[in-house]
Amino acid sequence: MLTPSELSTLRAFMDCLIPADDWPSAWRNGVGQYLMRQFAGPLRHMLPAYRSALAELDAESVARFSCPFADCGSERQLELLVAIAAGEACPETRNLLPAAASHAAEGYYADPGNGGNPEMTSWRMVGYLLPGEISAP
Amino acid sequence: MAHGWLSLTGRDLGALTGLSRAADAAPEPIQAEYDCIVIGAGAGGGIVACLMAEAGHRTLLVERGSHVAPDPDGGDHLRNQRLSLYGVNAGPSLAENPRVDATGSAPRTVLATDGAWNNNASCVGGGTRVYGAQAWRFHPKDFRMASEYGVPDGSSLADWPITYGDLAPHYERVEWELGVAGDTSSYGYTGSGSRGYPMPPFPVTGSGVPLARGAASLGWETLPPPMLMNTIPYGGRNACIHCRHCVGFPCPVDAKNGVHSTMIPRGLATGLLQLATGAVVREIVTDGKGEVTGVALLEEAYTGANLRSVRARTVVVAAGAIETARLLLNSRSSMHPDGLGNASGHVGRNLQGHYYPSARGLMEEPCWDGVGPGPCIATCRFNHGNPGVIGGAMLCNDFIELPIIFWRNGLPPDVPRWGIENKRWMRENYRRTLQVTGPVQEIPSPNARVELDGSVRDRWGIPVARLSGRTHPETVKTAAAIWERCCEWLRASGASRIWGGPPGLGLSGGQHQAGTCRMGRDPRSSVTDSFGRVHGHQNLFIADASLHVTNGGFNPVLTVMAMAFRIGGFVAAL
């Protein structure tokens, strides 16, 4: 569906939208699995827009930092995304940003049955799941 | 993976629900003739069908949807009645049932995942299968809005042809025969003479504590919202386990009292009621004299057969305010060229639901304790008597919000939608946010309407509903005033910052849809009489919120049910 290179750019992109702190980043909390399932289903129509944005992100990252987006480090990734959100680069990525943020949140905060949020980690993070409420795997 | 967190209650959910058994049974063939056909197995139809069968009438209850079983894992957070991003959990099937949204400049075809479709559940139980189950009686003044306030220019505001007193005994029947938990001691406007409720109210939860304090400091009287849910075992069904998947989902322990768990099983037990799921009524059939003789039914999804006619002495339509109007408009003949009951052109007009101004407040300390279903404190102080506006709303805290719904709807406008700040906000404030909201009584407009679309058809070739127009500007004015009261309550409860805002001018229907076949005394300005009998037809009745002249400043289901008891009793005695 996506090439390995596109996949690593997508991972870096999603981890900018929901970064790690003492709770996992988007990708670590199943957003990648959520997206793969959605791209094969109801978000199939979004795949071209994602592909264009990923290519655009990489091209801009190479132009600015001489390095693909996935490899240029979280500070530079964030710097680039802030510039994009401000309308200073990558118009296709900017257009995608609200939808991508929503997709990241859907994978991160929705039920594990949708492919993301394994072990309901985000539910424990926000307090939706009370301590001791997960049955043993 | 064993992530069924509800199963931690230690209860056998499969044994408790039992609904799948009914769905597995081979369907009984539809007969050529019945005493009565009821179309739609929701709040109104489920009750009328039961009363007809109990009175000895052979009754067919037709439902285009199917049985919906609860999900032992809690449910799909992206496909439910509260967040239908990629599908719905209680019908209808998406691509088969389009509608046309003509509220904007260019009409567009929409599916039930689009808010403009105005979805209510389409399944056995209808909305009551997945509802939040707030069980409010309308206020006496809600039945006489035009007399109380006058009629604003351009609106179709009118009094009901019945009073609160006409409905009071039927409200009481719903409260006891289906089961309502509540407390009438502070139920100001209906307390006297009331039998009370059969079950104690839900407890005040974490979010209710600061709100109770805030209301007290403002001098506002409050009460627990009455709920069609079991707080103790009742009617052979279980008590609520206080889970967090309540509104928008089927109850995992059968503690929610919808018609699917109460009146429909009661009717089926008589042996005189037959429930046909997956069957679509194409039109109501009339004879050469224009009199109703039955329905034309598509039972393809039911038994694999196709279009057939089924005769009945009486036909009752209870398909919800949008589909009921659509069915009447689609029932055309030379005697009824504009559809049944539509000689005066009123079928489909006055579509209304509720405006829901909502405010959220940030508390210093967490106030969320995870005790479902959530609404535990309300005030009826602002249903009427709000200076400068018409009507008002009951206010209360809302159902427990799923984290993804909180992400979409709950964040203040200045919190970024992505990045570490967004995540921090979710982490720190999901449990510190209070929400106060309420159903504002809409001022009806004749231009907010359901029509048939000239070109778009459903999977069975039937012209679909086309929704157009907007509510009356007075509704927006009332909603803005009520939103201020939401904020005032949150401020008094200790909220350090408040956000949200009242809605702008638009069309509303959705889960509270009403008004499209309003009842009245004059056939020139209404569709039915006060018993839901369509003007000019002895044997055609309507029994859903289509009849509502106005929709009250409360969740409307108890009124739909009380009206169904009144109409069902009347029709059964004919």
Side-chain angles (χ1 to χ4, degrees), chain A residues 16-17 19 21-24 34 38 102 105-106 108-109 111 114 119-120 123 125-128 133 135-136, chain B residues 1-3 5 8 75-79 85-86 244-245 368 402-404 407-408 419 423 426-427 430-431:
Chain A
C16 286
L17 300 182
D21 45 15
D22 40 353
W23 292 87
Y34 170 76
Q38 292 293 81
S102 181
E106 290 158 22
Y108 200 89
Y109 293 110
D111 60 294
N114 273 294
E119 309 305 323
M120 296 165 279
W123 293 358
M125 180 184 91
V126 300
Y128 180 72
E133 212 166 23
S135 49
Chain B
M1 187 178 97
H3 61 63
W5 58 279
L8 285 171
D76 187 335
H77 285 206
L78 304 178
R79 295 169 189 80
L85 274 183
Y86 302 109
R244 271 144 274 156
H245 288 87
W368 188 99
L402 306 176
I404 184 59
W407 186 88
R408 293 177 64 84
K423 186 183 186 188
M426 288 291 294
R427 279 181 65 178
Y430 177 73
R431 297 179 66 179

Side-chain angles (χ1 to χ4, degrees), chain B residues 218-396:
Chain B
L218 291 164
W220 297 0
E221 70 282 5
T222 59
L223 72 165
M227 308 287 280
L228 276 146
M229 288 185 197
N230 292 349
T231 47
I232 54 174
Y234 187 78
R237 295 178 302 280
N238 303 290
C240 170
I241 58 168
H242 304 288
C243 81
R244 271 144 274 156
H245 288 87
C246 186
V247 64
F249 297 94
C251 177
V253 298
D254 203 17
K256 195 146 68 176
N257 300 322
V259 290
H260 64 282
S261 58
T262 58
M263 300 301 284
I264 293 175
R266 209 172 104 180
L268 292 172
T270 66
L272 291 172
L273 174 62
Q274 181 181 348
L275 171 62
T277 57
V280 174
V281 175
R282 194 186 72 177
E283 64 184 286
I284 297 161
V285 177
T286 50
D287 63 15
K289 289 181 286 187
E291 289 173 6
V292 172
T293 57
V295 303
L297 187 74
L298 291 143
E299 57 168 349
E300 184 186 5
Y302 180 63
T303 59
N306 224 321
L307 182 68
R308 55 177 296 180
S309 61
V310 186
R311 296 175 62 83
R313 284 196 288 116
T314 305
V315 173
V316 182
V317 190
I322 294 173
E323 291 297 319
T324 287
R326 177 189 173 209
L327 178 58
L328 292 184
L329 294 172
N330 268 318
S331 300
R332 298 171 187 223
S333 64
S334 55
M335 298 285 286
H336 309 290
D338 299 317
L340 276 177
N342 198 31
S344 298
H346 288 288
V347 171
R349 292 191 181 273
N350 309 311
L351 176 63
Q352 59 200 286
H354 278 127
Y355 263 42
Y356 258 95
S358 160
R360 294 167 195 271
L362 187 64
M363 305 297 289
E364 291 302 316
E365 297 296 324
C367 51
W368 188 99
D369 56 9
V371 178
C376 67
I377 183 166
T379 182
C380 300
R381 187 183 181 92
F382 303 108
N383 281 86
H384 292 281
N386 298 290
V389 297
I390 298 177
M394 173 277 297
L395 296 182
C396 73

Side-chain angles (χ1 to χ4, degrees), chain B residues 108-122:
Chain B
R108 61 193 185 101
T109 301
V110 290
L111 304 183
T113 44
D114 191 310
W117 201 92
N118 281 285
N119 190 19
N120 198 352
S122 174

Side-chain angles (χ1 to χ4, degrees), chain B residues 477-534:
Chain B
K477 209 168 137 191
T478 303
I482 291 298
W483 185 74
E484 292 293 338
R485 300 285 76 76
C486 298
C487 297
E488 187 179 1
W489 194 358
L490 288 168
R491 257 193 309 275
S493 304
S496 58
R497 60 173 302 195
I498 291 166
W499 65 99
L505 191 64
L507 181 69
S508 80
Q511 290 158 29
H512 291 188
Q513 60 188 253
T516 55
C517 299
R518 54 167 40 176
M519 50 196 252
R521 293 195 182 87
D522 186 348
R524 290 169 301 181
S525 59
S526 60
V527 176
T528 82
D529 69 11
S530 71
F531 283 98
R533 174 154 31 195
V534 175

